[in-house]
Amino acid sequence: MGPQGPDKEGVMKKKWLIGNWKMHGNLASNKALIEGIRAELPEPDPRAELVVCPAFPYLYQLKDLTAGTGIYVGAQNASDHLQGAYTGETSPLMIKELGGSFTIIGHSERRQYQGENDGLMGRKSLAAIDAGLIPVICVGETAEERDSGRTHEVLARQLDAAFGYIRTAHDKIILAYEPRWAIGTGIAATPEIVQAEHEFLRQRIAIRDKEFAARLPIIYGGSVKAANAISLFSMPDVDGGLIGSAALNATEFVAIYRELLQTIPADEAA
Ligand code: PEP
């Protein structure tokens, strides 16, 4: 694993815990949060990677705070362009230069509040890959879509839009299933729902590339906390979690990480 992030094999084999700090934090609280994580967890286990995604202005601070700690840094969004006259946008190349190895793409809050659509998610994923970042591509249905029996239709549409831009065999990607109704509500999807949708997503990707689909990390996000983490992470197609509010509390975040470690068979190679 190099300083620019995990290598391809590393990405594809590991478990992942990714903290989305959203529009929270400041210089002092970010420092306290990383110090808190490190106090509870001096070194992440090589079988499960830890990533924190601060707001853009703090990327460079986090590069400093996480240097030599084994914790990776990611952004919460990135432009679909590498450079140019795009006022207010942030290039994935800039994220990379400021120490980011990852970027969340297509988070439902961006779809909801910034009007991002499937096509943009695909273009952003490709730009991130071209800049050397690993996109954490988010898909997920709303409550209304689930209630009207359209979950698979929606997931397929979102997935196909993103993967239409991606050369699967060559690219490093993490897929996140984040049902919108579970994000920030305190009510996580049941392990059975999560497993069923992860399986659906994996099968859909297998139509394009079977071997890639088998190795692709698919993580779950939506009201994960220490109390429900093990039941979610124990599901066979769940490779970790994308954590929102619980990632802002060092003790809770590390407790979730420890639950994730418990789901890894002891004989699994690091
Ligand atoms: C998220 O925003 O990606 C998320 C999973 O949030 P929460 O854990 O707060 O539901």
Side-chain angles (χ1 to χ4, degrees):
M1 187 183 304
Q4 299 302 321
D7 60 24
K8 183 175 178 197
E9 289 311 306
V11 170
M12 302 306 267
K13 276 193 205 140
K14 303 219 181 215
K15 301 284 183 187
W16 294 90
L17 194 70
I18 302 178
N20 172 12
W21 291 3
K22 310 196 184 193
M23 202 173 72
H24 295 291
N26 55 46
L27 291 171
S29 69
N30 296 344
K31 185 165 181 284
L33 186 46
I34 293 297
E35 284 173 356
I37 293 171
R38 296 217 63 221
E40 309 234 3
L41 184 80
E43 223 177 304
D45 188 299
R47 296 169 303 164
E49 300 289 7
L50 210 51
V51 183
V52 294
C53 301
F56 280 136
Y58 301 112
L59 279 172
Y60 200 64
Q61 180 202 18
L62 266 293
K63 178 187 181 178
D64 244 28
L65 287 173
T66 57
T69 65
I71 301 172
Y72 289 103
V73 178
Q76 299 171 15
N77 178 35
S79 172
D80 57 329
H81 299 279
L82 296 182
Q83 188 184 327
Y86 302 102
T87 302
E89 289 292 288
T90 302
S91 163
L93 287 172
M94 296 169 182
I95 294 167
K96 181 92 178 161
E97 188 174 31
L98 293 184
S101 304
F102 299 80
T103 183
I104 297 170
I105 296 288
H107 191 280
S108 69
E109 284 156 12
R110 296 207 59 81
R111 293 174 185 270
Q112 195 174 353
Y113 304 125
Q114 267 72 38
E116 292 198 2
N117 59 28
D118 298 337
L120 184 59
M121 182 174 77
R123 294 195 301 280
K124 285 185 171 196
S125 299
L126 185 59
I129 291 166
D130 286 345
L133 297 178
I134 297 170
V136 180
I137 301 171
C138 299
V139 296
E141 79 285 3
T142 63
E144 190 268 324
E145 288 162 344
R146 171 160 288 273
D147 292 346
S148 58
R150 288 186 292 132
T151 297
H152 285 183
E153 177 199 322
V154 170
L155 293 182
R157 192 198 68 221
Q158 294 173 343
L159 196 64
D160 292 352
F163 278 73
Y165 286 86
I166 290 166
R167 308 142 298 205
T168 47
H170 306 288
D171 294 328
K172 295 191 263 185
I173 296 159
I174 294 172
L175 186 62
Y177 170 57
E178 293 216 310
R180 202 185 287 185
W181 47 271
I183 295 177
T185 61
I187 302 164
T190 64
E192 292 71 28
I193 288 179
V194 174
Q195 170 56 26
E197 304 316 347
H198 282 219
E199 203 177 325
F200 171 78
L201 292 166
R202 208 180 288 284
Q203 283 169 357
R204 182 111 192 150
I205 296 162
I207 298 169
R208 293 174 186 270
D209 187 331
K210 215 169 161 185
E211 193 250 354
F212 176 86
R215 294 180 304 125
L216 177 69
I218 306 181
I219 63 177
Y220 166 74
S223 299
V224 177
K225 36 192 181 270
N228 61 18
I230 202 149
S231 62
L232 294 161
F233 296 159
S234 299
M235 290 290 146
D237 279 298
V238 178
D239 301 303
L242 180 52
I243 316 297
S245 56
L248 296 171
N249 179 308
T251 304
E252 184 74 7
F253 191 53
V254 172
I256 295 171
Y257 181 78
R258 293 200 196 285
E259 299 293 308
L260 177 60
L261 289 181
Q262 280 198 51
T263 67
I264 304 174
D267 59 354
E268 204 151 290

